Amino acid sequence: MRAFVLTAPYEGSVQEVPVPSAGPGEAVIDVERVGVCGTDVEFYTGEMAYLTEGHSSFPMRLGHEWSGRVSAVGAGVDTDWIGRRVMGDTMLGDGTCRRCLRGHQHVCEKRQEVGVRGDRPGALAEQLAVPVSSLHVLPDSVDPALGALVEPGGNALRSVQAAALTPEDRVLILGPGTIGLLAAMFARVTGAEVHLMGRSERSLAFARELGFENRWHEDSLPDLPFDAVIDASNAAHLPARAVDIVEPAGRVVHVGLAGEPSLVDTRDLALKDVTAVGVLSASPGLPATIRAYAEGVIDPRPLVAATVALDRTAATLAGERPSDAGPGPKIHIDPRLA
């Protein structure tokens, strides 16, 4: 089958690789849609920390935001899974450690991450094999594009849940990329007053198209009390800035990751009585995200600027956008396209 293989920083191509088989407890998925995200780009540039920490190595197959249809199952798996439309959890714990047994497989020390960590091939291919235990069934109302947006949506939903918003609150979201805009959509549902801060005129203009009027650059941020701040950016100075901005007794949520260490003075946290929460994974938020999409609570499909074929993967990772791409931040890849 055809798959995109990254062999070194800035070096990757579509190659013929063996078709996956379903091992015990596994299913093979015919991949319909894959989202490209910042983590994939960091692997492409060689900047992803997992490469230096020994959690990942080249060659590797990327792709952890995906949707598709089950085409085969392995030993011990109910054949009723065949034909079901699904998406999958990225985080695969060992299933035996204390964290996994407590339902926290997404922070298992020995976890694999599909397309990210532990040599588990990703979804940028015609087919993918994963444990059935990681699958979530998609209702008919959740199309392939929405299915591939469940994983980033789960991160955004968990961030909003951690912010504990009420209709009386004002929340500031740093970074109007995919996660930031999804967080803004979920935050708007709570009734809170939503503000966005970013650097790019294009991304802030797109946020306005989505109905978010309160959009700011860092140097023009108004002096308002923000009850919660969600940092969905990759800027190293913004975690500390979030603590500085938030109201005393407020909540700060860190879901974005910088490419270098970001420092927060814990004295500021303590003296302001701020609650700070880190969000690593979508895992605990996947079922609720699927329900939200299925019921039309939010519709993130406008975030997808274009859907391209597998042979456009390298160009997409390099930052190229199709000439007919829309204004959204997300590019999807459909391995079925010629």
Side-chain angles (χ1 to χ4, degrees):
M1 68 171 184
R2 298 165 66 246
F4 179 79
V5 181
L6 189 63
T7 53
Y10 301 102
E11 294 182 11
S13 62
V14 176
Q15 300 180 12
E16 288 291 330
V17 302
V19 173
S21 59
E26 291 189 337
V28 172
I29 314 298
D30 291 341
V31 180
E32 296 177 342
R33 199 67 60 88
V34 189
V36 175
C37 86
T39 298
D40 301 316
V41 174
E42 287 184 3
F43 277 118
Y44 179 73
T45 62
E47 297 171 334
M48 177 60 181
Y50 279 180
L51 292 169
T52 57
E53 294 170 354
H55 296 307
S56 307
S57 61
F58 300 116
M60 64 184 302
R61 296 209 327 244
L62 303 173
H64 61 277
E65 303 175 2
W66 60 269
S67 64
R69 190 179 296 271
V70 177
S71 59
V73 296
V77 179
D78 193 328
T79 56
D80 285 348
W81 276 100
I82 297 175
R84 289 179 178 173
R85 296 182 54 254
V86 295
M87 62 78 57
D89 194 342
T90 301
M91 307 302 214
L92 309 179
D94 65 14
T96 61
C97 70
R98 184 174 186 269
R99 296 173 191 172
C100 285
L101 295 177
R102 289 185 166 212
H104 305 312
Q105 92 287 342
H106 61 292
V107 289
C108 171
E109 186 175 359
K110 298 179 181 178
R111 71 184 180 274
Q112 293 183 318
E113 299 178 22
V114 176
V116 176
R117 168 176 164 148
D119 298 323
R120 171 67 71 164
L124 281 171
E126 293 178 311
Q127 290 187 316
L128 170 75
V130 292
V132 169
S133 59
S134 70
L135 297 180
H136 294 262
V137 176
L138 298 175
D140 291 340
S141 56
V142 177
D143 63 21
L146 282 176
L149 286 166
V150 170
E151 198 278 340
N155 281 283
L157 176 59
R158 289 193 65 214
S159 299
V160 171
Q161 290 172 336
L165 300 174
T166 72
E168 291 74 37
D169 285 336
R170 178 183 292 117
V171 58
L172 174 65
I173 298 169
L174 310 179
T178 298
I179 300 292
L181 290 171
L182 282 163
M185 290 178 173
F186 280 116
R188 181 163 56 189
V189 174
T190 71
E193 181 181 309
V194 180
H195 292 246
L196 287 152
M197 189 183 91
R199 292 178 297 185
S200 164
E201 288 291 350
R202 186 182 73 182
S203 61
L204 290 173
F206 178 61
R208 184 176 184 179
E209 291 184 24
L210 297 176
F212 297 104
E213 296 294 336
N214 301 310
R215 298 159 293 108
W216 316 101
H217 292 285
E218 188 170 3
D219 59 3
S220 65
L221 188 67
D223 185 16
L224 293 171
F226 292 103
D227 304 288
V229 179
I230 298 173
D231 178 16
S233 76
N234 61 1
H237 75 286
L238 285 184
R241 183 84 171 105
V243 176
D244 179 58
I245 293 169
V246 75
E247 277 284 278
R251 283 93 53 202
V252 172
V253 182
H254 300 288
V255 63
L257 292 174
E260 58 187 277
S262 53
L263 303 178
V264 174
D265 190 334
T266 57
R267 292 173 296 182
D268 294 334
L269 287 174
L271 293 173
K272 292 181 69 173
D273 200 30
V274 168
T275 299
V277 180
V279 174
L280 168 68
S281 161
S283 300
L286 296 176
T289 301
I290 292 171
R291 286 196 301 271
Y293 291 179
E295 296 169 3
V297 173
I298 72 168
D299 181 2
R301 281 173 290 196
L303 301 184
V304 180
T307 300
V308 300
L310 192 62
D311 62 6
R312 296 296 301 166
T313 301
T316 300
L317 291 168
E320 295 183 21
R321 292 170 66 89
S323 59
D324 59 348
K330 179 67 69 175
I331 302 295
H332 274 178
I333 291 172
D334 185 342
R336 302 168 299 176
L337 295 176

